[in-house]
Amino acid sequence: MTDTEQLSVPLSVLLADPGLGLSQVAGPTEDRLVSTVGTTEIEDPTPYLVGGELLLTAGVRIPRDADGVDTYVRRVVAAGVAALGFGVAPVHEEVPPELVAACDRHGLPLLRLPPATPFVAVGQATYAAIAEARGRELREISKAQSALVSAAARPNALQAVLHQLSSRTGAWAVLFDTRGNELFSAGPRPPYPVPQLVRDLAVRTTGRFGTGHAAGRPSPPAAAADHLEGIHLTVHTLPGADSSTAPLALGQAAAMVPTLVHRQVTSMATVLLALLTSPRHALGTDTHSVGALVRLMLGATPDEVAPALVSADEATGDHWIVVHGRHLPGRATPSPSSGDSPAQLATLGTALGTPYVYIDGSSLKALIPGAPGARPKPPAQAADLGWVLGFSAPAAAPDLPQADVQAERALQRAIAAEVPAVVHAPQALTVHTLISPADGREFARARFASLDQARAPGASVLLDTLRTWLTLHGSWDRTAAALQVHRNTVRHRLARVAELLDVDLQDPGVRMELWFALEWLPGEQADEQRARP
C-alpha cells in the first residue's frame, strides 16, 4: 500500500449506520465512494474541494432561488464531490425542494441529516469505516503473502504460486515464455478470444523489454493493461532479467477491476515467480537470489528485493529455523563489508548447513530447513569467524514472522551474555521478559517526564495517586479512602496527571501502559522489595 493510495468507504455503509440516521432523498442510487468529509457554508466551495468528499452543509448561505441552487449543485458536481449531506434544523426545517430537484437533475446523491446527528459524528463514522477497511486490506495482504511463500516452498512451486494468485485475485493467471507460449496457468480459463488477447498483450510487452537500457544491466519490470467487454487484462514482466534476455510474463484476466489488495498480491507473485524461473535455479551458486528470497520470506517488500533477483531454488523443508547473526567488533576476523562475498557466504552456509544466507554488513540472516521439534545446533565455525548467533524454533512458512522475532531475541540474549549462540527455548513469556530492565526504566522516565512540571502537591503525590487508582481498578471512592483524601481531590489530581501526560485515563490501553511504566519507574521495584517482610 503506497502513500498515494487513498482508501474510501462506500456511501451505503454510512447510510446503513443506525447511529447516524442518514437517508438519501435525491440523486442516483448506485453506490459512491467517499474518501473524506468536509463541511462548508459558503456559496462557492469549489476552490477548497479535491474530489471524493461527502460535503456537509446546513444551508446557511445556500442560494434561495432555484437557479442559484442549480448553479451550486452543478459546481460541486464538477469538483468531484461524491455526495451532499444536508443537515436540517436550525436553519431549514426540511431539505429545500429546489435542492432535491437540482441533485436529481445533476446526478448528485443528497443525504438528509436529522437534527440529532452532528456533522462531526458523520466524519467520525466515515474515518472509522476507512480505518477498518485499511486494516482489512492489510490483513488480506498478509495472509496472501504467507500463502504465496508457502506455495513457493512446495515441489510444484510454479503451479502452486499461480494457484494461490488466482484464488486470491479471482483472475485467470498464466505464465508465458518469451514467445507467448503458455507454460503454466491456474483458475477458470476465460472464453475465446480473451486468452489470445492476453497472449498478444504479453508478447507486445516483452518485446519492448530492455529498450533504452545498457547491455548486461537489469531493466525495470514492465506492465500493460487492456479490457474487453468487462474483462480486465493485465500483464507483468518478471523482474531480474538483463537487457540482453527477454523476460517471462505473467498474464491475468479478471471480471473486476484489480483492487489494491490484488495489485499487492500480484506484485508478490511476480517476485516469487522470478525467483523460481531464473536460468540459474541453484540457490547454492547464486548469492544475490538467496539473499532476496530470505529477505522476502522474512517480511521485505517486493520492491526491496526485486533489484537482487537473479535466481532461486525450490525450498525443500516444511519447517524453517530462522537465524540472526551479528559480527561484533574485536572478534578475530574483520567485519564483512557486504553480502556479496562468496567466501563469507560459502563458509557460513557450510557451517549452518544451508545455502539460504544473507549478509548485510555486520548483520546476518539465514533460513535452515528443519523438522518440527528439532533443536538446531550452533556451529563452532561461526564463532571462529566472529559471529554471534540467535536461533528460532522450527516454524512453518506462515509463522516465519514469529520465528524472526524469536531469532532476534535469542541474538540479543547471546550478545548480552557474551556467548557464541543462543537457541530459543519455549517458556512462559511476560512483558517483563520481553523488555530489558534498562529499556523499561528509560521508557518509564520518558513517560512521566512531564510530571516534573507539576506544581503542588508535586510529582510524587500525583504518581502515588495514579498508582493507587490503577491498583483499585479506577474506583474514585476506594482510592480516596486509601489515600485518606476527598474523592474530589482524587479527581483533581488524576485530571492533572491526564493533562500533563496528554492521555485519556478512561482508555484501557492507556491504563495498561501507565501501569507497566509505574512498574519500571526507577526506584519503584527497590522500594517494593524493601517494603516486603
Side-chain angles (χ1 to χ4, degrees), residues 17 58 111 147 172 182 247 260 333 374 383 392 421 425 430 491:
D17 190 334
L111 310 186
W172 177 60
E182 292 185 19
L260 172 63
T333 57
S392 76
T430 67
R491 288 183 177 275

mmCIF file of all heavy atoms in Angstrom, residues 17 58 111 147 172 182 247 260 333 374 383 392 421 425 430 491:
data_model
loop_
_atom_site.group_PDB
_atom_site.id
_atom_site.type_symbol
_atom_site.label_atom_id
_atom_site.label_comp_id
_atom_site.label_asym_id
_atom_site.label_seq_id
_atom_site.Cartn_x
_atom_site.Cartn_y
_atom_site.Cartn_z
ATOM 1 N N ASP A 17 -25.613 2.906 8.717
ATOM 2 C CA ASP A 17 -25.218 3.102 10.114
ATOM 3 C C ASP A 17 -26.412 3.629 10.904
ATOM 4 O O ASP A 17 -26.841 4.775 10.719
ATOM 5 C CB ASP A 17 -24.051 4.090 10.189
ATOM 6 C CG ASP A 17 -23.437 4.158 11.585
ATOM 7 O OD1 ASP A 17 -24.163 3.864 12.564
ATOM 8 O OD2 ASP A 17 -22.262 4.517 11.699
ATOM 9 N N ALA A 58 -25.459 23.003 6.351
ATOM 10 C CA ALA A 58 -26.752 23.287 6.981
ATOM 11 C C ALA A 58 -27.551 24.293 6.170
ATOM 12 O O ALA A 58 -28.620 24.732 6.588
ATOM 13 C CB ALA A 58 -26.548 23.788 8.408
ATOM 14 N N LEU A 111 -28.103 13.501 0.864
ATOM 15 C CA LEU A 111 -28.447 12.838 2.110
ATOM 16 C C LEU A 111 -29.076 13.830 3.078
ATOM 17 O O LEU A 111 -28.654 14.988 3.170
ATOM 18 C CB LEU A 111 -27.202 12.224 2.769
ATOM 19 C CG LEU A 111 -26.298 11.345 1.894
ATOM 20 C CD1 LEU A 111 -25.210 10.727 2.749
ATOM 21 C CD2 LEU A 111 -27.098 10.289 1.177
ATOM 22 N N ALA A 147 0.563 -17.294 2.203
ATOM 23 C CA ALA A 147 0.139 -18.382 1.326
ATOM 24 C C ALA A 147 1.054 -18.510 0.116
ATOM 25 O O ALA A 147 1.390 -19.628 -0.309
ATOM 26 C CB ALA A 147 -1.306 -18.160 0.887
ATOM 27 N N TRP A 172 -7.918 -15.389 -13.895
ATOM 28 C CA TRP A 172 -7.178 -16.439 -14.589
ATOM 29 C C TRP A 172 -5.730 -15.975 -14.683
ATOM 30 O O TRP A 172 -5.439 -14.875 -15.168
ATOM 31 C CB TRP A 172 -7.762 -16.662 -15.971
ATOM 32 C CG TRP A 172 -7.008 -17.681 -16.803
ATOM 33 C CD1 TRP A 172 -6.806 -18.988 -16.509
ATOM 34 C CD2 TRP A 172 -6.383 -17.461 -18.071
ATOM 35 N NE1 TRP A 172 -6.091 -19.614 -17.502
ATOM 36 C CE2 TRP A 172 -5.819 -18.698 -18.487
ATOM 37 C CE3 TRP A 172 -6.242 -16.346 -18.905
ATOM 38 C CZ2 TRP A 172 -5.127 -18.833 -19.680
ATOM 39 C CZ3 TRP A 172 -5.555 -16.495 -20.094
ATOM 40 C CH2 TRP A 172 -5.000 -17.725 -20.476
ATOM 41 N N GLU A 182 2.115 -20.660 -23.409
ATOM 42 C CA GLU A 182 1.647 -20.836 -22.042
ATOM 43 C C GLU A 182 2.466 -21.932 -21.355
ATOM 44 O O GLU A 182 2.471 -23.080 -21.799
ATOM 45 C CB GLU A 182 0.164 -21.208 -22.015
ATOM 46 C CG GLU A 182 -0.760 -20.101 -22.473
ATOM 47 C CD GLU A 182 -2.220 -20.472 -22.307
ATOM 48 O OE1 GLU A 182 -2.504 -21.416 -21.528
ATOM 49 O OE2 GLU A 182 -3.081 -19.855 -22.954
ATOM 50 N N PRO A 247 12.273 -11.288 -20.729
ATOM 51 C CA PRO A 247 11.762 -11.952 -19.523
ATOM 52 C C PRO A 247 10.519 -12.779 -19.810
ATOM 53 O O PRO A 247 9.914 -12.692 -20.872
ATOM 54 C CB PRO A 247 11.416 -10.769 -18.627
ATOM 55 C CG PRO A 247 10.927 -9.733 -19.612
ATOM 56 C CD PRO A 247 11.790 -9.905 -20.847
ATOM 57 N N LEU A 260 -6.453 -2.710 -4.694
ATOM 58 C CA LEU A 260 -5.136 -2.525 -4.096
ATOM 59 C C LEU A 260 -4.588 -3.857 -3.597
ATOM 60 O O LEU A 260 -3.409 -4.174 -3.785
ATOM 61 C CB LEU A 260 -5.217 -1.526 -2.946
ATOM 62 C CG LEU A 260 -3.956 -1.366 -2.094
ATOM 63 C CD1 LEU A 260 -2.811 -0.840 -2.931
ATOM 64 C CD2 LEU A 260 -4.219 -0.462 -0.903
ATOM 65 N N THR A 333 38.052 -12.020 13.186
ATOM 66 C CA THR A 333 38.044 -11.699 11.769
ATOM 67 C C THR A 333 37.412 -10.337 11.559
ATOM 68 O O THR A 333 36.553 -9.906 12.328
ATOM 69 C CB THR A 333 37.247 -12.746 10.978
ATOM 70 O OG1 THR A 333 35.918 -12.817 11.508
ATOM 71 C CG2 THR A 333 37.904 -14.107 11.088
ATOM 72 N N ALA A 374 12.669 -30.108 16.096
ATOM 73 C CA ALA A 374 14.126 -30.272 16.041
ATOM 74 C C ALA A 374 14.812 -29.077 16.701
ATOM 75 O O ALA A 374 14.359 -27.946 16.584
ATOM 76 C CB ALA A 374 14.584 -30.404 14.591
ATOM 77 N N ALA A 383 31.367 -19.035 15.308
ATOM 78 C CA ALA A 383 32.052 -18.287 16.370
ATOM 79 C C ALA A 383 33.497 -18.017 15.986
ATOM 80 O O ALA A 383 34.035 -16.939 16.275
ATOM 81 C CB ALA A 383 31.975 -19.063 17.681
ATOM 82 N N SER A 392 15.897 -19.472 16.091
ATOM 83 C CA SER A 392 14.495 -19.638 16.454
ATOM 84 C C SER A 392 14.160 -21.109 16.583
ATOM 85 O O SER A 392 14.965 -21.993 16.252
ATOM 86 C CB SER A 392 13.593 -19.014 15.388
ATOM 87 O OG SER A 392 13.528 -19.847 14.231
ATOM 88 N N ALA A 421 26.279 -18.355 20.879
ATOM 89 C CA ALA A 421 24.955 -18.560 20.295
ATOM 90 C C ALA A 421 23.945 -18.862 21.387
ATOM 91 O O ALA A 421 24.286 -19.380 22.457
ATOM 92 C CB ALA A 421 24.974 -19.695 19.269
ATOM 93 N N ALA A 425 14.188 -21.123 23.426
ATOM 94 C CA ALA A 425 13.545 -22.209 24.160
ATOM 95 C C ALA A 425 12.153 -21.767 24.564
ATOM 96 O O ALA A 425 11.979 -20.657 25.085
ATOM 97 C CB ALA A 425 14.360 -22.567 25.403
ATOM 98 N N THR A 430 6.378 -13.078 29.644
ATOM 99 C CA THR A 430 5.709 -11.949 30.284
ATOM 100 C C THR A 430 6.253 -10.684 29.669
ATOM 101 O O THR A 430 7.284 -10.692 28.986
ATOM 102 C CB THR A 430 5.952 -11.929 31.802
ATOM 103 O OG1 THR A 430 7.342 -11.651 32.043
ATOM 104 C CG2 THR A 430 5.576 -13.267 32.439
ATOM 105 N N ARG A 491 -10.036 13.120 41.967
ATOM 106 C CA ARG A 491 -10.395 13.518 40.608
ATOM 107 C C ARG A 491 -9.516 14.656 40.116
ATOM 108 O O ARG A 491 -9.062 14.661 38.957
ATOM 109 C CB ARG A 491 -11.865 13.928 40.551
ATOM 110 C CG ARG A 491 -12.839 12.763 40.666
ATOM 111 C CD ARG A 491 -14.273 13.238 40.525
ATOM 112 N NE ARG A 491 -15.215 12.141 40.558
ATOM 113 C CZ ARG A 491 -15.562 11.407 39.512
ATOM 114 N NH1 ARG A 491 -15.018 11.676 38.335
ATOM 115 N NH2 ARG A 491 -16.430 10.424 39.615
#
